Amino acid sequence: MRSAFYKQACRPLGAFAIAVTLCTFAALTSVPEAFADETGASEITLPKMDADAGKSLFADRGCVVCHSINNVGGDTGPSLDASNLNQSRDPFEFFARMWRGAEPMLHLQQADLGYQIDFSGQDLADIFAFVQDGTMQEGFTEADLPDHIREIIDNGPSIPQE
Ligand code: HEC
Protein backbone atom coordinates (compact mmCIF):
# COMPACT_ATOMS: atom_id res chain seq x y z
CA MET A 1 0.00 0.00 0.00
CA ARG A 2 1.32 3.45 -1.00
CA SER A 3 1.89 5.90 1.78
CA ALA A 4 0.24 9.27 1.79
CA PHE A 5 3.66 10.76 1.34
CA TYR A 6 4.13 8.86 -1.92
CA LYS A 7 0.80 10.02 -3.24
CA GLN A 8 1.49 13.64 -2.40
CA ALA A 9 5.16 13.94 -3.24
CA CYS A 10 6.37 11.11 -5.40
CA ARG A 11 3.57 10.73 -7.90
CA PRO A 12 3.75 14.34 -9.06
CA LEU A 13 7.54 14.01 -9.11
CA GLY A 14 7.21 10.89 -11.23
CA ALA A 15 5.04 12.75 -13.70
CA PHE A 16 7.53 15.58 -13.61
CA ALA A 17 10.40 13.20 -14.32
CA ILE A 18 8.59 11.74 -17.28
CA ALA A 19 7.86 15.23 -18.57
CA VAL A 20 11.52 16.21 -18.16
CA THR A 21 12.63 13.10 -20.01
CA LEU A 22 10.20 13.70 -22.84
CA CYS A 23 11.09 17.37 -23.10
CA THR A 24 14.82 16.63 -23.06
CA PHE A 25 14.35 14.04 -25.78
CA ALA A 26 12.25 16.45 -27.83
CA ALA A 27 14.82 19.21 -27.33
CA LEU A 28 17.73 16.97 -28.30
CA THR A 29 16.07 15.49 -31.34
CA SER A 30 15.08 18.93 -32.59
CA VAL A 31 18.65 20.29 -32.30
CA PRO A 32 19.80 19.39 -35.82
CA GLU A 33 16.85 21.21 -37.34
CA ALA A 34 17.43 24.34 -35.28
CA PHE A 35 21.13 24.10 -36.06
CA ALA A 36 20.38 23.82 -39.76
CA ASP A 37 18.28 26.96 -39.70
CA GLU A 38 20.74 29.02 -37.69
CA THR A 39 23.73 28.19 -39.86
CA GLY A 40 21.96 28.15 -43.19
CA ALA A 41 22.97 24.49 -43.48
CA SER A 42 19.50 23.76 -44.83
CA GLU A 43 20.61 25.65 -47.96
CA ILE A 44 23.55 23.32 -48.63
CA THR A 45 23.53 22.01 -52.18
CA LEU A 46 25.38 18.93 -53.36
CA PRO A 47 26.57 18.61 -56.97
CA LYS A 48 25.08 15.94 -59.23
CA MET A 49 27.68 13.19 -59.54
CA ASP A 50 28.68 11.77 -62.91
CA ALA A 51 30.78 8.59 -62.75
CA ASP A 52 31.49 8.63 -66.48
CA ALA A 53 33.00 12.12 -66.28
CA GLY A 54 34.84 10.96 -63.15
CA LYS A 55 36.42 8.14 -65.11
CA SER A 56 38.07 10.59 -67.52
CA LEU A 57 39.11 12.90 -64.70
CA PHE A 58 40.64 10.04 -62.72
CA ALA A 59 42.96 9.28 -65.65
CA ASP A 60 43.45 12.80 -66.92
CA ARG A 61 44.18 14.49 -63.58
CA GLY A 62 46.73 11.86 -62.61
CA CYS A 63 45.06 10.00 -59.72
CA VAL A 64 45.77 6.85 -61.72
CA VAL A 65 49.52 7.46 -61.50
CA CYS A 66 49.46 6.35 -57.86
CA HIS A 67 46.10 4.58 -57.45
CA SER A 68 44.95 1.64 -59.52
CA ILE A 69 41.40 0.89 -60.55
CA ASN A 70 40.59 -2.38 -62.31
CA ASN A 71 44.34 -3.16 -62.22
CA VAL A 72 45.13 -0.07 -64.28
CA GLY A 73 47.51 2.42 -62.67
CA GLY A 74 50.29 2.69 -60.09
CA ASP A 75 50.47 1.26 -56.59
CA THR A 76 52.06 4.11 -54.63
CA GLY A 77 48.70 4.78 -52.98
CA PRO A 78 45.96 2.28 -52.07
CA SER A 79 43.81 0.82 -54.83
CA LEU A 80 40.60 2.78 -55.31
CA ASP A 81 38.58 -0.16 -56.59
CA ALA A 82 34.95 0.12 -55.53
CA SER A 83 35.25 -3.45 -54.20
CA ASN A 84 37.98 -2.35 -51.77
CA LEU A 85 36.30 -2.67 -48.38
CA ASN A 86 38.46 0.09 -46.90
CA GLN A 87 37.08 2.51 -49.44
CA SER A 88 35.09 5.23 -47.76
CA ARG A 89 31.46 5.55 -48.89
CA ASP A 90 31.27 8.93 -47.21
CA PRO A 91 32.45 11.71 -49.55
CA PHE A 92 33.63 13.91 -46.69
CA GLU A 93 35.67 11.08 -45.23
CA PHE A 94 37.01 10.27 -48.69
CA PHE A 95 38.35 13.79 -49.19
CA ALA A 96 39.61 13.98 -45.62
CA ARG A 97 41.75 10.91 -46.37
CA MET A 98 42.83 12.39 -49.67
CA TRP A 99 43.95 15.48 -47.81
CA ARG A 100 46.27 13.32 -45.69
CA GLY A 101 47.96 12.09 -48.86
CA ALA A 102 48.21 15.67 -50.18
CA GLU A 103 51.96 16.07 -49.79
CA PRO A 104 53.12 13.34 -52.21
CA MET A 105 50.26 14.18 -54.56
CA LEU A 106 51.30 17.83 -54.80
CA HIS A 107 54.95 16.90 -55.12
CA LEU A 108 54.21 14.65 -58.07
CA GLN A 109 52.20 17.30 -59.80
CA GLN A 110 54.97 19.87 -59.45
CA ALA A 111 57.70 17.45 -60.46
CA ASP A 112 56.05 15.70 -63.37
CA LEU A 113 53.39 18.06 -64.62
CA GLY A 114 55.00 21.35 -63.57
CA TYR A 115 51.83 22.71 -62.04
CA GLN A 116 49.27 21.96 -59.39
CA ILE A 117 46.13 20.41 -60.80
CA ASP A 118 43.03 22.47 -60.19
CA PHE A 119 39.74 20.80 -59.29
CA SER A 120 36.27 22.21 -59.18
CA GLY A 121 33.77 20.83 -56.68
CA GLN A 122 32.03 19.21 -59.62
CA ASP A 123 35.27 17.46 -60.70
CA LEU A 124 35.73 16.02 -57.23
CA ALA A 125 32.11 14.89 -57.06
CA ASP A 126 32.52 13.09 -60.39
CA ILE A 127 35.77 11.42 -59.30
CA PHE A 128 34.08 10.27 -56.09
CA ALA A 129 31.19 8.83 -58.13
CA PHE A 130 33.62 6.89 -60.33
CA VAL A 131 35.53 5.54 -57.35
CA GLN A 132 32.25 4.19 -55.93
CA ASP A 133 30.94 2.70 -59.17
CA GLY A 134 32.13 -0.90 -59.65
CA THR A 135 30.28 -1.34 -62.94
CA MET A 136 31.80 1.78 -64.47
CA GLN A 137 35.23 0.68 -63.21
CA GLU A 138 35.01 -2.60 -65.13
CA GLY A 139 35.28 -0.55 -68.32
CA PHE A 140 38.41 1.28 -67.16
CA THR A 141 41.42 0.15 -69.24
CA GLU A 142 44.89 1.28 -70.32
CA ALA A 143 43.18 2.84 -73.34
CA ASP A 144 41.68 5.46 -71.03
CA LEU A 145 45.11 6.83 -70.12
CA PRO A 146 46.23 10.02 -71.89
CA ASP A 147 49.81 9.83 -73.24
CA HIS A 148 51.38 12.21 -70.71
CA ILE A 149 49.89 10.22 -67.83
CA ARG A 150 50.94 6.88 -69.31
CA GLU A 151 54.46 8.27 -69.58
CA ILE A 152 54.55 9.24 -65.89
CA ILE A 153 53.30 5.79 -64.89
CA ASP A 154 55.99 4.13 -67.02
CA ASN A 155 58.73 6.30 -65.48
CA GLY A 156 57.38 5.88 -61.96
CA PRO A 157 56.02 8.78 -59.88
CA SER A 158 58.45 11.20 -58.23
CA ILE A 159 57.63 10.53 -54.60
CA PRO A 160 59.75 12.51 -52.12
CA GLN A 161 62.25 10.34 -50.24
CA GLU A 162 61.73 10.12 -46.48
C1 HEC B 1 51.76 11.04 -56.21
C2 HEC B 1 50.91 9.94 -55.96
C3 HEC B 1 49.43 10.20 -55.77
C4 HEC B 1 48.54 10.82 -56.62
C5 HEC B 1 48.82 11.47 -57.96
C6 HEC B 1 47.25 10.72 -55.99
N1 HEC B 1 47.36 10.08 -54.80
FE1 HEC B 1 45.89 9.70 -53.53
N2 HEC B 1 47.22 8.96 -52.20
C7 HEC B 1 48.56 8.77 -52.44
C8 HEC B 1 49.18 8.14 -51.29
C9 HEC B 1 50.64 7.79 -51.13
C10 HEC B 1 48.15 7.95 -50.37
C11 HEC B 1 48.23 7.28 -48.99
C12 HEC B 1 48.50 8.35 -47.97
C13 HEC B 1 48.54 7.71 -46.60
O1 HEC B 1 48.32 6.52 -46.47
O2 HEC B 1 48.81 8.47 -45.67
C14 HEC B 1 46.93 8.47 -50.98
C15 HEC B 1 45.70 8.45 -50.39
C16 HEC B 1 44.53 8.71 -51.03
C17 HEC B 1 43.23 8.46 -50.50
C18 HEC B 1 42.93 7.87 -49.13
C19 HEC B 1 42.81 6.38 -49.26
C20 HEC B 1 42.50 5.73 -47.96
O3 HEC B 1 41.80 4.71 -47.98
O4 HEC B 1 42.93 6.22 -46.91
C21 HEC B 1 42.33 8.81 -51.42
C22 HEC B 1 40.83 8.71 -51.30
C23 HEC B 1 43.05 9.32 -52.55
N3 HEC B 1 44.40 9.23 -52.27
C24 HEC B 1 42.47 9.79 -53.70
C25 HEC B 1 43.19 10.32 -54.74
C26 HEC B 1 42.57 10.95 -55.88
C27 HEC B 1 41.08 11.05 -56.10
C28 HEC B 1 43.58 11.40 -56.66
C29 HEC B 1 43.47 12.20 -57.92
C30 HEC B 1 42.79 13.44 -57.81
C31 HEC B 1 44.83 11.02 -56.02
N4 HEC B 1 44.53 10.39 -54.85
C32 HEC B 1 46.08 11.25 -56.53
C33 HEC B 1 49.23 9.10 -53.57
C34 HEC B 1 48.69 9.75 -54.63
Side-chain angles (χ1 to χ4, degrees):
M1 200 159 134
R2 306 279 191 200
S3 69
F5 177 78
Y6 172 85
K7 282 184 191 150
Q8 278 172 9
C10 301
R11 238 202 242 149
L13 271 183
F16 178 69
I18 290 170
V20 167
T21 308
L22 286 177
C23 291
T24 307
F25 180 73
L28 285 176
T29 51
S30 68
V31 163
E33 210 179 299
F35 181 76
D37 290 339
E38 270 166 34
T39 60
S42 56
E43 289 162 26
I44 283 177
T45 57
L46 294 174
K48 212 161 167 253
M49 300 191 291
D50 180 344
D52 196 27
K55 182 172 146 189
S56 311
L57 288 164
F58 185 79
D60 204 42
R61 300 292 168 91
C63 313
V64 71
V65 170
C66 301
H67 299 278
S68 69
I69 279 187
N70 201 29
N71 290 321
V72 177
D75 59 3
T76 308
S79 150
L80 296 180
D81 280 323
S83 58
N84 181 345
L85 291 179
N86 290 325
Q87 182 75 258
S88 182
R89 308 284 162 221
D90 170 345
F92 294 103
E93 179 57 24
F94 181 84
F95 293 115
R97 290 191 199 178
M98 204 174 144
W99 179 251
R100 288 180 208 130
E103 199 182 337
M105 295 194 223
L106 292 179
H107 178 86
L108 171 102
Q109 291 163 24
Q110 292 296 349
D112 295 318
L113 298 174
Y115 57 87
Q116 183 182 327
I117 295 166
D118 186 41
F119 291 103
S120 66
Q122 183 65 58
D123 293 338
L124 292 174
D126 293 345
I127 288 175
F128 180 71
F130 174 57
V131 163
Q132 302 296 323
D133 189 332
T135 311
M136 185 67 72
Q137 291 186 353
E138 282 169 22
F140 188 64
T141 67
E142 301 272 342
D144 290 303
L145 304 179
D147 289 344
H148 70 290
I149 295 295
R150 195 191 312 262
E151 216 170 280
I152 298 172
I153 294 176
D154 290 347
N155 295 337
S158 312
I159 298 298
Q161 301 301 313
E162 299 282 320

